[in-house]
Amino acid sequence: NAGVTQTPKFRVLKTGQSMTLLCAQDMNHEYMYWYRQDPGMGLRLIHYSVGEGTTAKGEVPDGYNVSRLKKQNFLLGLESAAPSQTSVYFCASSYRPRGLEETQYFGPGTRLLVL
Amino acid sequence: RKEVEQDPGPFNVPEGATVAFNCTYSNSASQSFFWYRQDCRKEPKLLMSVYSSGNEDGRFTAQLNRASQYISLLIRDSKLSDSATYLCVALSYNTDKLIFGTGTRLQVFP
């Protein structure tokens, strides 16, 4: 099992450019999440999905869109990148969110720099 | 006020030392708690869940105090390989979302 994979690993964008981050998991998890991590802020939830075809907003959704067309993939889109979106983006997946058996498995992260 | 708060550290300890981290949470609806470990420039990984009765996994012990709304992590006999950032995490059944603290950095030196 590859677990959770993310592409690309690193990207530099100019302000106003668009891009899509891809997250894939091979654990048949229902739930998938996109977080961003910034110094001093901790991990913040951008969007999440509780199953194929569903998406929902997290704590900091503005400027991002997501799609979950296939159960194993969760895409994060930036339509018009801004320097404030410079961050490390982590994708995660879990079987279910509740209970002590909950474990979110994280991908290796995507480092995004917006100039 | 942040929903989950941690001392950012760093905690610098010698090998073999015992070190403890505390974490406080403000949402009384938080039901489950976890400690994740994050190495530099890597993804977070689950270290251990925190049970109400307290639990131990080798050199690591986690405690939960619901009355005071804090969670602790104790590391005994610190190893160089324990150097990392430790994230305190709360799960609220109201929202089904994990809330992450900003992390406590531990540096173990020889």
Side-chain angles (χ1 to χ4, degrees):
Chain A
N1 283 353
V4 181
T5 58
Q6 291 181 234
T7 53
K9 287 185 171 53
F10 178 71
R11 184 77 182 269
V12 179
L13 287 180
K14 294 181 180 178
T15 296
Q17 286 185 317
S18 62
M19 78 165 293
T20 299
L21 284 67
L22 171 64
C23 175
Q25 52 93 5
D26 61 2
M27 296 174 282
N28 202 35
H29 285 166
E30 289 293 333
Y31 296 81
M32 297 188 74
Y33 313 81
W34 275 108
Y35 293 91
R36 59 178 290 173
Q37 186 174 37
D38 303 291
M41 299 293 290
L43 282 153
R44 292 183 293 170
L45 184 63
I46 304 171
H47 285 281
Y48 65 103
S49 168
V50 301
E52 181 178 319
T54 74
T55 62
K57 293 181 179 180
E59 182 186 353
V60 288
D62 294 341
Y64 305 94
N65 57 74
V66 288
S67 64
R68 183 101 180 267
L69 298 179
K70 292 183 178 180
K71 185 177 183 179
Q72 63 268 33
N73 295 337
F74 195 28
L75 278 63
L76 178 71
L78 286 74
E79 289 188 350
S80 179
S84 60
Q85 293 178 305
T86 292
S87 188
V88 181
Y89 292 87
F90 286 103
C91 175
S93 71
S94 67
Y95 176 60
R96 57 188 174 186
R98 289 193 171 199
L100 291 173
E101 66 275 20
E102 143 78 4
T103 297
Q104 287 194 8
Y105 295 86
F106 283 81
T110 295
R111 297 182 178 278
L112 177 64
L113 174 62
V114 183
L115 301 174
Chain B
R1 183 186 173 191
K2 292 179 181 173
E3 199 164 331
V4 176
E5 294 206 65
Q6 298 181 249
D7 181 343
F11 285 63
N12 296 306
V13 302
E15 273 186 290
T18 295
V19 62
F21 310 135
N22 283 338
C23 163
T24 59
Y25 62 96
S26 60
N27 186 353
S28 58
S30 296
Q31 295 295 329
S32 298
F33 303 91
F34 312 87
W35 284 100
Y36 276 70
R37 171 193 168 128
Q38 186 173 24
D39 294 297
C40 187
R41 303 178 75 83
K42 298 287 189 180
E43 71 272 25
K45 292 182 179 178
L46 180 68
L47 177 66
M48 59 195 303
S49 302
V50 185
Y51 298 96
S52 294
S53 55
N55 49 303
E56 189 175 306
D57 183 3
R59 297 181 294 109
F60 299 85
T61 300
Q63 296 279 355
L64 167 62
N65 185 320
R66 288 193 184 274
S68 302
Q69 295 188 195
Y70 79 81
I71 307 119
S72 64
L73 176 68
L74 181 77
I75 305 176
R76 289 181 300 278
D77 189 23
S78 297
K79 312 290 185 190
L80 294 175
S81 57
D82 293 334
S83 297
T85 296
Y86 291 83
L87 307 176
C88 175
V89 185
L91 170 64
S92 170
Y93 284 176
N94 286 355
T95 62
D96 280 348
K97 296 186 189 69
L98 295 182
I99 306 298
F100 288 80
T102 54
T104 297
R105 194 154 69 88
L106 171 66
Q107 184 67 50
V108 182
F109 58 88

